Amino acid sequence: MNPSAVAHETHEHHEPTGFWQKHVFSRDHKVIGKQFLFSSMIWALLGGTFAIMVRQQIAYPGVEIPIIGDWLFSTSGGTMPEQWYNMAFTMHASIMIFLVVIPALSGGFGNFLIPLMIGARDMAFPLLNMLSYWVMWPAMACFIASLFIGETYAGTGAIGIDAAGSGWTAYPTLSVIAIGSGQTLWAVGVILVGWSSIMGAVNYITTIVKLRAPGMGFFRMPLTVWALFITALLQLLATPVLGSAMMLLIFERTAGGTFFLTDSVAKGEVFFRAEGANGQPLLFQHLFWFYSHPAVYIMILPAMGIVSDIITTFARKPLFGYRPMVYSMSGIAGLGFIVWGHHMFQSGMNPYLGTAFMIGTMMIALPSAVKVFNWLGTLWGGQIEFPAAMKFAVAFVAMFIIGGLSGIFMAATPVDIQIHDTYFIVAHIHYVLFTGSIVGIFAGFYYWFPKMFGRKMDEKLGSIHFWLTFVLMNCTFFAMHIVGLGGMQRRIADPTVYEGLLRWMPLNKFMTWSAYLLLISQVVFFWNLFKSLRGGERVGNNPWKANSLEWDATSPPWFENFHEIPHVHRGPYEYASPEVEEDYLPQSRVLKPAEAK
Amino acid sequence: MATSHDSPPPPARNPGGAVIGLLIFLVGMSLVVWTGGLRMPAVLPENIGTNTAVDDLFWIIFGVTGFFFLLTEGLLVYYCVKYRRKPGQKAQPMHGNHTLELIWTFIPGVILFVLAVMQTGVWSQNKYKSEMPDPEAKETIVVQVFGKQFEWHFRYPGPDGEFKTADDITSGGELHVPVDHDVIVRLQTKDVLHSFWLPNLRLKQDLVPGLTIPQWFKPIKTGRYEIVCAELCGAGHTRMRGLLFVQTAEEFEAWKKKQYEKNGEHIADKDENWKFWYQRVQEASK
């Protein structure tokens, strides 16, 4: 007997009736997925607010912050202290990476979609799944608490002044000597997020390997599932290394670990520790990037999978090169483990290693290029429809091209000498993570919203939201390439200190205003969300006429997803099939002898 | 392919909306590229050294990526416009093409590999110790650079040519070098990570506690330029700015002499000297 069938039959699964079991401490993968998505949205607003504060300070350094300045920075005359600025960009990046993009993509979409797309009733380990969400809460609590704990805060009342302020990379020795508990709380929070990732990853891998519906071979899985599967492998293998780095950092800060401090620092007048300290800060960078480079792919691969599915659905045409897409994602993931050194070209690491990492990094552009060409091949000769989901999906491809190509500049070691730690890299990361991952999240949200809630999101508002976001994000982030090449280093609070940067102040103001508008324009999205949740157009099981198994379930799906576990007869991308009259052919559909030619 | 598009097209359901949007995007992007990209030579900080190969590589990559940017974005926009949904028609059920996959794997692969190989030489010239100018040579200037929150400090050997002796010359915040001479900077930090960046000389290197990292450059134009700390180093990171003075050999010698007279009596003990001079810099900056 098929092992998955055994699992389904022996699985004790009753729909809980109490409010708490049903909506809060739920073990239902669909509820957990939505919980991840909605908490990500709330954190995205906070992360966005920090981003706005950063932009405000760069464009108007030393100027009193309007409206909230007096309240927030009463001791500094309403202007932003530099330590607060450092905290703002640190928390912006930490929140966006650890509490928004990773939870939304693998936590949110991973949970909601994997069982539905492979035809399972739930995840393999529902309890573990529930824990993977609820362990996020102590992490969030750590991040929030760090804003309100500390001596300087107690003295000045400037919220957040004691929170982590050494960048999301938290390089020692700055992160070791940072005063206050904010940096330690930050590290604890990151460990907890990593714990959540690992629990989720174990669950996803087991579910995908063991609980696929009959007939669902690995090469019949939609690319979203493939992407989430590869992402889970990355998370499982890389996250423990981040955890160990954070653990070492905590020991170093609280117990005098001397893993990273060297004699010269430990003996210094400022930070007396011990003589003969024999640590090395580069160790932390290696451990950190061994996770955080794969983390870049953890944040982009699921979006690539989602976008592949959406593009195929709305091009009404089979995915171009299914297997090359799978292989290129695997290639990205595999190579992703041996290129972490490209974050450290100028770090003082042996330059011979730099050469080795450079060649690996150049080569990782290749599978990305293959993916772009295959997306273009999918669009070629299609019958393309453009609902909001498709607009975002196509924008993902357009923007990923920019983010991918700008990566080649940084991969080239000599060019990296000039652009390392400048706004060029800031532009690059935002083209990959905002105009890539976040746009992919929007695409997926518009696309699967009918499945989640049984209603469609408003297309008109979706279109307005798309165009505002699309134009404004390019205004915000594209100019960063230019100021970066123009010599503006990242993480400075006041560019006007440097004569060479004065010429970029008009452009900086332009970016800041674009960023304001970009954040404000998200109101359209939230308005659409609440409007559609209450009064959106009700839809049937398969509003987009798509093929994969989740569209067999009701919208929203029943507690156990499928009344009868579907049997899979073909791959997920049989659009425009000559075998049937319609232009789609669901994976589970049994062709009648008359239809089957 | 052809059959589905040669037939008279029925009126599109969403005429123009997407097209207008994409046109706005293209025009907007070309404006940005025009204002930024075409004026790129003026965007990069002026290069006053011999390290022009970095700029050349930048332009090569700019050309290659620019080509693929225009190609892929162009195709994307073209396909989105050309293959919009026409009611009642079905697309071709095409699952892929083996030859195409090979082509678009092989060609970018070769291009990327060639690009990678092109970097190795310039990288080694900039970073490999074997390429460093001879520090013993008479023409070579050797300077110790210290980063400390949030100041740059520089130390030159005195007439004896040795560091850590009584005739050392120190300078706070200002690096003076003679034009047309090889300069070797030995980078050290007293506290946290810093990054020594000379935007005009295409030189950047992190300062790491416990390591002394040599870097070298050769300025060929006199003038006053900025030294930037490019690695976050704390709440004064923004102000950690130094000045680079590229001078004629005579001016440089005169400056060294003046600097020596200012510091000479205080440098019997190097740490004492450090403290004295650090305090002075602090006072001066107030």
Side-chain angles (χ1 to χ4, degrees), chain A residues 230-284:
Chain A
I230 294 168
T231 303
L233 286 170
L234 286 176
Q235 284 181 313
L236 189 63
L237 295 174
T239 319
V241 181
L242 177 76
S244 57
M246 291 302 144
M247 222 49 196
L248 293 180
L249 183 61
I250 292 172
F251 276 127
E252 184 92 347
R253 287 180 54 79
T254 57
T258 61
F259 302 109
F260 308 126
L261 286 196
T262 58
D263 199 25
S264 65
V265 182
K267 264 200 308 192
E269 306 146 47
V270 194
F271 327 105
F272 180 79
R273 294 255 165 177
E275 291 201 14
N278 218 355
Q280 182 33 256
L282 287 182
L283 169 66
F284 180 88

Side-chain angles (χ1 to χ4, degrees), chain A residues 448-505:
Chain A
W448 280 296
F449 188 86
K451 187 50 64 184
M452 290 179 188
F453 303 102
R455 295 167 186 274
K456 249 184 183 175
M457 283 182 89
D458 187 283
E459 276 302 328
K460 192 142 210 154
L461 286 173
S463 188
I464 294 170
H465 173 228
F466 168 75
W467 285 113
L468 284 173
T469 307
F470 183 72
V471 171
L472 290 169
M473 72 192 182
N474 277 295
C475 291
T476 308
F477 300 124
F478 196 85
M480 288 183 182
H481 290 116
I482 298 165
V483 295
L485 291 174
M488 180 163 154
Q489 69 274 36
R490 63 195 291 203
R491 294 172 170 176
I492 53 163
D494 185 356
T496 58
V497 170
Y498 294 86
E499 290 155 32
L501 300 183
L502 289 175
R503 58 182 176 148
W504 299 122
M505 287 317 283

